[in-house]
Short mmCIF file of all heavy atoms in Angstrom, two decimals:
data_model
loop_
_atom_site.label_atom_id
_atom_site.label_comp_id
_atom_site.label_asym_id
_atom_site.label_seq_id
_atom_site.Cartn_x
_atom_site.Cartn_y
_atom_site.Cartn_z
N PRO A 3 -10.33 19.96 -7.66
CA PRO A 3 -9.32 18.95 -7.39
C PRO A 3 -9.65 18.04 -6.21
O PRO A 3 -9.13 16.96 -6.10
CB PRO A 3 -8.06 19.75 -7.11
CG PRO A 3 -8.51 21.14 -6.82
CD PRO A 3 -9.85 21.30 -7.46
N ARG A 4 -10.57 18.48 -5.31
CA ARG A 4 -10.95 17.67 -4.14
C ARG A 4 -12.46 17.64 -4.01
O ARG A 4 -13.13 18.67 -4.13
CB ARG A 4 -10.35 18.25 -2.86
CG ARG A 4 -8.88 18.12 -2.82
CD ARG A 4 -8.36 18.50 -1.44
NE ARG A 4 -6.94 18.29 -1.42
CZ ARG A 4 -6.06 19.13 -0.96
NH1 ARG A 4 -6.46 20.26 -0.42
NH2 ARG A 4 -4.79 18.86 -0.99
N LEU A 5 -12.96 16.45 -3.74
CA LEU A 5 -14.40 16.27 -3.53
C LEU A 5 -14.62 15.40 -2.30
O LEU A 5 -13.84 14.50 -2.03
CB LEU A 5 -15.04 15.55 -4.72
CG LEU A 5 -15.02 16.22 -6.08
CD1 LEU A 5 -15.47 15.22 -7.14
CD2 LEU A 5 -15.93 17.43 -6.07
N THR A 6 -15.71 15.65 -1.61
CA THR A 6 -16.16 14.72 -0.59
C THR A 6 -17.07 13.72 -1.28
O THR A 6 -17.48 13.90 -2.42
CB THR A 6 -16.94 15.43 0.53
OG1 THR A 6 -18.14 15.96 -0.02
CG2 THR A 6 -16.12 16.53 1.18
N VAL A 7 -17.41 12.66 -0.58
CA VAL A 7 -18.33 11.66 -1.13
C VAL A 7 -19.66 12.31 -1.48
O VAL A 7 -20.22 12.08 -2.55
CB VAL A 7 -18.52 10.50 -0.14
CG1 VAL A 7 -19.62 9.55 -0.62
CG2 VAL A 7 -17.22 9.74 0.05
N VAL A 8 -20.16 13.17 -0.61
CA VAL A 8 -21.44 13.85 -0.85
C VAL A 8 -21.35 14.71 -2.11
O VAL A 8 -22.26 14.69 -2.95
CB VAL A 8 -21.85 14.69 0.38
CG1 VAL A 8 -23.06 15.54 0.08
CG2 VAL A 8 -22.09 13.79 1.58
N GLU A 9 -20.28 15.44 -2.28
CA GLU A 9 -20.10 16.28 -3.47
C GLU A 9 -20.00 15.43 -4.73
O GLU A 9 -20.58 15.77 -5.77
CB GLU A 9 -18.86 17.15 -3.33
CG GLU A 9 -18.98 18.22 -2.27
CD GLU A 9 -17.66 18.89 -1.94
OE1 GLU A 9 -16.59 18.26 -2.12
OE2 GLU A 9 -17.71 20.05 -1.49
N ALA A 10 -19.27 14.32 -4.65
CA ALA A 10 -19.13 13.44 -5.81
C ALA A 10 -20.47 12.85 -6.21
O ALA A 10 -20.82 12.80 -7.40
CB ALA A 10 -18.12 12.33 -5.49
N GLU A 11 -21.25 12.40 -5.23
CA GLU A 11 -22.57 11.85 -5.52
C GLU A 11 -23.50 12.92 -6.10
O GLU A 11 -24.32 12.65 -6.97
CB GLU A 11 -23.17 11.23 -4.27
CG GLU A 11 -22.45 9.94 -3.87
CD GLU A 11 -22.90 9.39 -2.53
OE1 GLU A 11 -23.52 10.12 -1.73
OE2 GLU A 11 -22.61 8.21 -2.27
N ALA A 12 -23.35 14.16 -5.63
CA ALA A 12 -24.17 15.26 -6.15
C ALA A 12 -23.84 15.55 -7.61
O ALA A 12 -24.73 15.89 -8.40
CB ALA A 12 -23.98 16.52 -5.30
N LEU A 13 -22.57 15.42 -7.99
CA LEU A 13 -22.19 15.62 -9.39
C LEU A 13 -22.85 14.59 -10.29
O LEU A 13 -23.29 14.91 -11.40
CB LEU A 13 -20.66 15.54 -9.55
CG LEU A 13 -19.86 16.70 -8.99
CD1 LEU A 13 -18.36 16.42 -9.12
CD2 LEU A 13 -20.21 18.00 -9.69
N ILE A 14 -22.95 13.36 -9.81
CA ILE A 14 -23.63 12.32 -10.58
C ILE A 14 -25.12 12.62 -10.66
O ILE A 14 -25.72 12.59 -11.74
CB ILE A 14 -23.38 10.93 -9.97
CG1 ILE A 14 -21.90 10.55 -10.10
CG2 ILE A 14 -24.26 9.87 -10.65
CD1 ILE A 14 -21.52 9.29 -9.34
N ALA A 15 -25.72 12.93 -9.52
CA ALA A 15 -27.17 13.18 -9.46
C ALA A 15 -27.59 14.36 -10.32
O ALA A 15 -28.64 14.34 -10.96
CB ALA A 15 -27.61 13.39 -8.02
N SER A 16 -26.75 15.39 -10.38
CA SER A 16 -27.10 16.60 -11.15
C SER A 16 -26.84 16.44 -12.64
O SER A 16 -27.26 17.28 -13.43
CB SER A 16 -26.31 17.80 -10.63
OG SER A 16 -24.94 17.68 -10.99
N GLY A 17 -26.12 15.39 -13.03
CA GLY A 17 -25.79 15.20 -14.43
C GLY A 17 -24.50 15.90 -14.85
O GLY A 17 -24.09 15.81 -15.99
N THR A 18 -23.86 16.59 -13.91
CA THR A 18 -22.59 17.25 -14.21
C THR A 18 -21.53 16.21 -14.57
O THR A 18 -20.78 16.38 -15.51
CB THR A 18 -22.12 18.11 -13.03
OG1 THR A 18 -23.13 19.08 -12.75
CG2 THR A 18 -20.81 18.81 -13.33
N ALA A 19 -21.48 15.14 -13.79
CA ALA A 19 -20.62 14.00 -14.12
C ALA A 19 -21.47 13.03 -14.92
O ALA A 19 -22.56 12.66 -14.49
CB ALA A 19 -20.10 13.34 -12.85
N SER A 20 -20.98 12.66 -16.09
CA SER A 20 -21.77 11.76 -16.93
C SER A 20 -20.85 10.80 -17.67
O SER A 20 -19.63 10.90 -17.59
CB SER A 20 -22.59 12.58 -17.93
OG SER A 20 -21.74 13.33 -18.78
N GLY A 21 -21.45 9.90 -18.40
CA GLY A 21 -20.70 8.96 -19.22
C GLY A 21 -19.69 8.16 -18.43
O GLY A 21 -19.99 7.59 -17.39
N GLY A 22 -18.46 8.15 -18.93
CA GLY A 22 -17.40 7.35 -18.33
C GLY A 22 -16.93 7.83 -16.97
O GLY A 22 -16.23 7.09 -16.27
N MET A 23 -17.29 9.05 -16.59
CA MET A 23 -16.88 9.53 -15.27
C MET A 23 -17.68 8.87 -14.15
O MET A 23 -17.17 8.72 -13.04
CB MET A 23 -17.02 11.05 -15.17
CG MET A 23 -15.91 11.82 -15.83
SD MET A 23 -14.24 11.30 -15.33
CE MET A 23 -14.25 11.66 -13.59
N ILE A 24 -18.90 8.47 -14.43
CA ILE A 24 -19.73 7.87 -13.38
C ILE A 24 -19.10 6.61 -12.80
O ILE A 24 -18.96 6.50 -11.58
CB ILE A 24 -21.17 7.64 -13.88
CG1 ILE A 24 -21.84 8.99 -14.15
CG2 ILE A 24 -21.98 6.81 -12.89
CD1 ILE A 24 -23.20 8.90 -14.82
N PRO A 25 -18.68 5.63 -13.62
CA PRO A 25 -18.05 4.45 -13.01
C PRO A 25 -16.75 4.77 -12.28
O PRO A 25 -16.43 4.13 -11.28
CB PRO A 25 -17.82 3.50 -14.17
CG PRO A 25 -18.12 4.23 -15.41
CD PRO A 25 -18.86 5.48 -15.04
N LYS A 26 -16.01 5.76 -12.76
CA LYS A 26 -14.77 6.14 -12.07
C LYS A 26 -15.07 6.72 -10.70
O LYS A 26 -14.42 6.39 -9.71
CB LYS A 26 -13.98 7.14 -12.91
CG LYS A 26 -13.44 6.57 -14.20
CD LYS A 26 -12.84 7.67 -15.05
CE LYS A 26 -12.38 7.18 -16.40
NZ LYS A 26 -13.48 6.92 -17.34
N ILE A 27 -16.06 7.59 -10.63
CA ILE A 27 -16.44 8.19 -9.35
C ILE A 27 -16.98 7.12 -8.40
O ILE A 27 -16.59 7.07 -7.23
CB ILE A 27 -17.47 9.31 -9.56
CG1 ILE A 27 -16.82 10.50 -10.27
CG2 ILE A 27 -18.06 9.76 -8.22
CD1 ILE A 27 -17.80 11.58 -10.71
N ARG A 28 -17.82 6.26 -8.91
CA ARG A 28 -18.39 5.20 -8.05
C ARG A 28 -17.31 4.26 -7.54
O ARG A 28 -17.33 3.84 -6.39
CB ARG A 28 -19.48 4.46 -8.80
CG ARG A 28 -20.72 5.32 -8.96
CD ARG A 28 -21.89 4.53 -9.48
NE ARG A 28 -23.08 5.39 -9.49
CZ ARG A 28 -24.03 5.33 -10.39
NH1 ARG A 28 -23.97 4.43 -11.36
NH2 ARG A 28 -25.05 6.14 -10.33
N ALA A 29 -16.35 3.90 -8.40
CA ALA A 29 -15.24 3.05 -7.96
C ALA A 29 -14.41 3.76 -6.89
O ALA A 29 -13.99 3.15 -5.91
CB ALA A 29 -14.36 2.67 -9.14
N GLY A 30 -14.20 5.06 -7.08
CA GLY A 30 -13.46 5.83 -6.08
C GLY A 30 -14.18 5.86 -4.75
O GLY A 30 -13.56 5.69 -3.70
N ILE A 31 -15.48 6.01 -4.78
CA ILE A 31 -16.27 6.01 -3.55
C ILE A 31 -16.21 4.65 -2.87
O ILE A 31 -16.02 4.56 -1.66
CB ILE A 31 -17.73 6.45 -3.83
CG1 ILE A 31 -17.76 7.93 -4.23
CG2 ILE A 31 -18.63 6.18 -2.63
CD1 ILE A 31 -19.10 8.40 -4.77
N ARG A 32 -16.33 3.58 -3.65
CA ARG A 32 -16.24 2.23 -3.08
C ARG A 32 -14.87 1.98 -2.45
O ARG A 32 -14.77 1.31 -1.41
CB ARG A 32 -16.52 1.16 -4.15
CG ARG A 32 -17.96 0.96 -4.45
CD ARG A 32 -18.21 -0.31 -5.27
NE ARG A 32 -17.34 -0.44 -6.43
CZ ARG A 32 -17.56 0.07 -7.63
NH1 ARG A 32 -18.65 0.77 -7.86
NH2 ARG A 32 -16.71 -0.12 -8.62
N SER A 33 -13.83 2.50 -3.06
CA SER A 33 -12.48 2.26 -2.53
C SER A 33 -12.28 2.91 -1.16
O SER A 33 -11.39 2.51 -0.41
CB SER A 33 -11.42 2.75 -3.51
OG SER A 33 -11.36 4.16 -3.51
N LEU A 34 -13.10 3.88 -0.83
CA LEU A 34 -12.97 4.56 0.46
C LEU A 34 -13.31 3.67 1.64
O LEU A 34 -13.04 4.04 2.79
CB LEU A 34 -13.82 5.84 0.48
CG LEU A 34 -13.36 6.92 -0.50
CD1 LEU A 34 -14.33 8.08 -0.49
CD2 LEU A 34 -11.95 7.39 -0.17
N ALA A 35 -13.85 2.49 1.38
CA ALA A 35 -14.08 1.53 2.46
C ALA A 35 -12.74 1.04 3.03
O ALA A 35 -12.67 0.60 4.18
CB ALA A 35 -14.90 0.35 1.96
N ALA A 36 -11.67 1.14 2.22
CA ALA A 36 -10.37 0.64 2.64
C ALA A 36 -9.31 1.72 2.84
O ALA A 36 -8.20 1.42 3.24
CB ALA A 36 -9.86 -0.37 1.61
N CYS A 37 -9.64 2.98 2.54
CA CYS A 37 -8.64 4.04 2.66
C CYS A 37 -9.34 5.37 2.95
O CYS A 37 -10.57 5.44 2.95
CB CYS A 37 -7.80 4.14 1.40
SG CYS A 37 -8.75 4.46 -0.09
N LEU A 38 -8.57 6.41 3.17
CA LEU A 38 -9.14 7.72 3.51
C LEU A 38 -9.43 8.59 2.30
O LEU A 38 -10.29 9.46 2.34
CB LEU A 38 -8.20 8.47 4.46
CG LEU A 38 -7.98 7.81 5.81
CD1 LEU A 38 -6.96 8.60 6.62
CD2 LEU A 38 -9.29 7.70 6.57
N SER A 39 -8.67 8.38 1.23
CA SER A 39 -8.91 9.15 0.01
C SER A 39 -8.46 8.35 -1.20
O SER A 39 -7.69 7.40 -1.08
CB SER A 39 -8.20 10.51 0.04
OG SER A 39 -6.81 10.34 -0.07
N THR A 40 -8.96 8.75 -2.35
CA THR A 40 -8.61 8.09 -3.60
C THR A 40 -8.42 9.15 -4.67
O THR A 40 -8.87 10.28 -4.50
CB THR A 40 -9.72 7.08 -3.99
OG1 THR A 40 -9.28 6.30 -5.09
CG2 THR A 40 -11.01 7.77 -4.32
N ARG A 41 -7.73 8.82 -5.74
CA ARG A 41 -7.46 9.78 -6.81
C ARG A 41 -7.94 9.22 -8.14
O ARG A 41 -7.80 8.04 -8.42
CB ARG A 41 -5.97 10.07 -6.94
CG ARG A 41 -5.34 10.67 -5.72
CD ARG A 41 -5.64 12.11 -5.53
NE ARG A 41 -5.02 12.93 -6.56
CZ ARG A 41 -5.16 14.24 -6.61
NH1 ARG A 41 -5.89 14.86 -5.71
NH2 ARG A 41 -4.59 14.95 -7.56
N ILE A 42 -8.47 10.09 -8.97
CA ILE A 42 -8.82 9.75 -10.34
C ILE A 42 -7.86 10.56 -11.22
O ILE A 42 -7.82 11.79 -11.12
CB ILE A 42 -10.28 10.12 -10.67
CG1 ILE A 42 -11.24 9.35 -9.77
CG2 ILE A 42 -10.57 9.84 -12.14
CD1 ILE A 42 -12.68 9.80 -9.87
N ILE A 43 -7.08 9.86 -12.04
CA ILE A 43 -6.13 10.54 -12.92
C ILE A 43 -6.42 10.17 -14.37
O ILE A 43 -7.09 9.17 -14.64
CB ILE A 43 -4.66 10.22 -12.56
CG1 ILE A 43 -4.36 8.73 -12.74
CG2 ILE A 43 -4.35 10.66 -11.15
CD1 ILE A 43 -2.90 8.38 -12.61
N ASP A 44 -5.92 10.96 -15.28
CA ASP A 44 -6.12 10.73 -16.70
C ASP A 44 -4.98 9.85 -17.21
O ASP A 44 -3.87 10.31 -17.43
CB ASP A 44 -6.14 12.06 -17.46
CG ASP A 44 -6.52 11.90 -18.91
OD1 ASP A 44 -6.51 10.76 -19.43
OD2 ASP A 44 -6.84 12.93 -19.54
N GLY A 45 -5.26 8.58 -17.40
CA GLY A 45 -4.26 7.63 -17.85
C GLY A 45 -3.80 7.83 -19.28
O GLY A 45 -2.85 7.20 -19.71
N ARG A 46 -4.47 8.70 -20.01
CA ARG A 46 -4.06 8.99 -21.40
C ARG A 46 -2.88 9.94 -21.45
O ARG A 46 -2.19 10.04 -22.45
CB ARG A 46 -5.22 9.59 -22.19
CG ARG A 46 -6.43 8.67 -22.27
CD ARG A 46 -7.60 9.41 -22.84
NE ARG A 46 -7.94 10.51 -21.94
CZ ARG A 46 -8.86 11.43 -22.18
NH1 ARG A 46 -9.55 11.40 -23.29
NH2 ARG A 46 -9.11 12.39 -21.31
N VAL A 47 -2.63 10.63 -20.35
CA VAL A 47 -1.52 11.59 -20.27
C VAL A 47 -0.22 10.80 -20.07
O VAL A 47 -0.16 9.97 -19.16
CB VAL A 47 -1.73 12.58 -19.11
CG1 VAL A 47 -0.52 13.47 -18.91
CG2 VAL A 47 -2.99 13.39 -19.33
N PRO A 48 0.79 11.03 -20.89
CA PRO A 48 2.05 10.32 -20.69
C PRO A 48 2.60 10.53 -19.28
O PRO A 48 2.61 11.66 -18.77
CB PRO A 48 2.98 10.95 -21.73
CG PRO A 48 2.06 11.45 -22.80
CD PRO A 48 0.82 11.91 -22.06
N HIS A 49 2.99 9.45 -18.64
CA HIS A 49 3.58 9.47 -17.30
C HIS A 49 2.62 10.02 -16.25
O HIS A 49 3.05 10.62 -15.26
CB HIS A 49 4.89 10.25 -17.29
CG HIS A 49 5.84 9.83 -18.36
ND1 HIS A 49 6.46 8.59 -18.36
CD2 HIS A 49 6.25 10.46 -19.49
CE1 HIS A 49 7.22 8.49 -19.44
NE2 HIS A 49 7.11 9.61 -20.14
N ALA A 50 1.34 9.82 -16.44
CA ALA A 50 0.32 10.38 -15.52
C ALA A 50 0.54 9.92 -14.08
O ALA A 50 0.42 10.72 -13.16
CB ALA A 50 -1.08 9.99 -15.99
N LEU A 51 0.86 8.65 -13.89
CA LEU A 51 1.05 8.15 -12.53
C LEU A 51 2.27 8.79 -11.88
O LEU A 51 2.22 9.20 -10.72
CB LEU A 51 1.15 6.63 -12.53
CG LEU A 51 1.22 5.97 -11.17
CD1 LEU A 51 0.02 6.37 -10.29
CD2 LEU A 51 1.27 4.46 -11.31
N LEU A 52 3.36 8.89 -12.63
CA LEU A 52 4.55 9.54 -12.07
C LEU A 52 4.29 11.00 -11.73
O LEU A 52 4.72 11.50 -10.70
CB LEU A 52 5.71 9.45 -13.07
CG LEU A 52 6.30 8.06 -13.27
CD1 LEU A 52 7.34 8.09 -14.38
CD2 LEU A 52 6.91 7.55 -11.97
N LYS A 53 3.56 11.69 -12.61
CA LYS A 53 3.23 13.09 -12.34
C LYS A 53 2.35 13.22 -11.11
O LYS A 53 2.48 14.18 -10.34
CB LYS A 53 2.56 13.70 -13.56
CG LYS A 53 3.50 13.88 -14.74
CD LYS A 53 2.77 14.40 -15.95
CE LYS A 53 3.73 14.55 -17.12
NZ LYS A 53 3.04 15.00 -18.34
N GLU A 54 1.46 12.27 -10.93
CA GLU A 54 0.60 12.29 -9.74
C GLU A 54 1.42 12.06 -8.48
O GLU A 54 1.25 12.76 -7.48
CB GLU A 54 -0.49 11.22 -9.87
CG GLU A 54 -1.40 11.12 -8.68
CD GLU A 54 -2.18 12.38 -8.40
OE1 GLU A 54 -2.49 13.14 -9.33
OE2 GLU A 54 -2.49 12.62 -7.22
N ILE A 55 2.31 11.11 -8.53
CA ILE A 55 3.16 10.81 -7.37
C ILE A 55 4.04 12.02 -7.03
O ILE A 55 4.21 12.37 -5.87
CB ILE A 55 4.02 9.57 -7.63
CG1 ILE A 55 3.12 8.32 -7.68
CG2 ILE A 55 5.10 9.41 -6.57
CD1 ILE A 55 3.79 7.08 -8.20
N ASP A 56 4.58 12.66 -8.07
CA ASP A 56 5.44 13.84 -7.86
C ASP A 56 4.64 15.11 -7.57
O ASP A 56 5.21 16.15 -7.30
CB ASP A 56 6.31 14.10 -9.10
CG ASP A 56 7.39 13.06 -9.25
OD1 ASP A 56 7.72 12.37 -8.27
OD2 ASP A 56 7.92 12.92 -10.38
N LYS A 57 3.32 15.03 -7.70
CA LYS A 57 2.43 16.17 -7.47
C LYS A 57 2.66 17.29 -8.48
O LYS A 57 2.40 18.45 -8.20
CB LYS A 57 2.56 16.72 -6.05
CG LYS A 57 2.34 15.71 -4.96
CD LYS A 57 0.90 15.34 -4.83
CE LYS A 57 0.72 14.45 -3.60
NZ LYS A 57 -0.22 13.43 -3.75
N THR A 58 3.17 16.96 -9.68
CA THR A 58 3.38 17.99 -10.69
C THR A 58 2.13 18.21 -11.53
O THR A 58 1.97 19.26 -12.12
CB THR A 58 4.57 17.64 -11.60
OG1 THR A 58 4.34 16.37 -12.21
CG2 THR A 58 5.87 17.61 -10.82
N GLU A 59 1.29 17.22 -11.62
CA GLU A 59 -0.01 17.35 -12.27
C GLU A 59 -0.97 16.53 -11.46
O GLU A 59 -0.63 15.49 -10.93
CB GLU A 59 0.03 16.82 -13.71
CG GLU A 59 0.68 17.75 -14.68
CD GLU A 59 0.53 17.28 -16.11
OE1 GLU A 59 -0.48 16.63 -16.43
OE2 GLU A 59 1.43 17.57 -16.89
N GLY A 60 -2.18 17.00 -11.37
CA GLY A 60 -3.09 16.30 -10.49
C GLY A 60 -4.33 15.78 -11.17
O GLY A 60 -4.67 16.18 -12.28
N GLY A 61 -4.96 14.91 -10.47
CA GLY A 61 -6.25 14.42 -10.86
C GLY A 61 -7.27 14.99 -9.90
O GLY A 61 -7.14 16.12 -9.44
N THR A 62 -8.25 14.19 -9.59
CA THR A 62 -9.29 14.59 -8.64
C THR A 62 -9.25 13.66 -7.45
O THR A 62 -9.22 12.44 -7.60
CB THR A 62 -10.67 14.53 -9.30
OG1 THR A 62 -10.66 15.39 -10.44
CG2 THR A 62 -11.76 14.96 -8.35
N SER A 63 -9.26 14.22 -6.28
CA SER A 63 -9.24 13.45 -5.03
C SER A 63 -10.66 13.35 -4.50
O SER A 63 -11.40 14.34 -4.48
CB SER A 63 -8.35 14.16 -4.01
OG SER A 63 -8.42 13.52 -2.76
N ILE A 64 -11.04 12.15 -4.07
CA ILE A 64 -12.32 11.96 -3.38
C ILE A 64 -11.98 11.53 -1.95
O ILE A 64 -11.22 10.58 -1.75
CB ILE A 64 -13.19 10.90 -4.05
CG1 ILE A 64 -13.48 11.28 -5.51
CG2 ILE A 64 -14.52 10.73 -3.28
CD1 ILE A 64 -14.24 10.23 -6.29
N GLN A 65 -12.52 12.26 -0.98
CA GLN A 65 -12.22 12.00 0.42
C GLN A 65 -13.47 11.65 1.18
O GLN A 65 -14.57 12.08 0.82
CB GLN A 65 -11.53 13.22 1.03
CG GLN A 65 -10.26 13.57 0.31
CD GLN A 65 -9.66 14.86 0.81
OE1 GLN A 65 -10.34 15.71 1.37
NE2 GLN A 65 -8.37 15.03 0.58
N LYS A 66 -13.30 10.88 2.26
CA LYS A 66 -14.45 10.46 3.06
C LYS A 66 -15.26 11.63 3.57
O LYS A 66 -16.47 11.60 3.61
CB LYS A 66 -14.01 9.58 4.23
CG LYS A 66 -13.63 8.19 3.78
CD LYS A 66 -13.37 7.30 4.97
CE LYS A 66 -13.05 5.90 4.49
NZ LYS A 66 -12.81 5.00 5.61
N SER A 67 -14.59 12.66 4.02
CA SER A 67 -15.33 13.81 4.53
C SER A 67 -14.58 15.10 4.29
O SER A 67 -13.50 15.13 3.85
CB SER A 67 -15.62 13.67 6.01
OG SER A 67 -14.42 13.53 6.74
#
């Protein structure tokens, strides 16, 4: 549920993260220039954003450190 930038980049380098996850992870890393953490959620899940805000279901957090 939580990754550092180094861990996220390692997932890409190792091939664990592949396909459509790579641009999501890279966008999350880029967004850290303006904030301390970012979240990747599954937008296909009904009410995913509301569930994320309410902390009832989670995505993956990428943090600076």
Side-chain angles (χ1 to χ4, degrees):
R4 292 189 177 134
L5 297 169
T6 65
V7 172
V8 172
E9 292 168 334
E11 290 172 342
L13 288 175
I14 294 171
S16 71
T18 301
S20 61
M23 281 309 298
I24 293 173
K26 293 173 185 75
I27 292 171
R28 288 190 175 146
I31 291 170
R32 281 193 311 273
S33 74
L34 294 175
C37 59
L38 297 176
S39 71
T40 189
R41 299 284 292 179
I42 299 171
I43 63 171
D44 188 346
R46 300 170 297 175
V47 173
H49 309 292
L51 185 56
L52 290 174
K53 290 176 181 178
E54 178 62 30
I55 291 168
D56 289 341
K57 305 287 187 217
T58 57
E59 283 188 31
T62 301
S63 174
I64 302 175
Q65 301 174 338
K66 285 187 178 181
S67 59

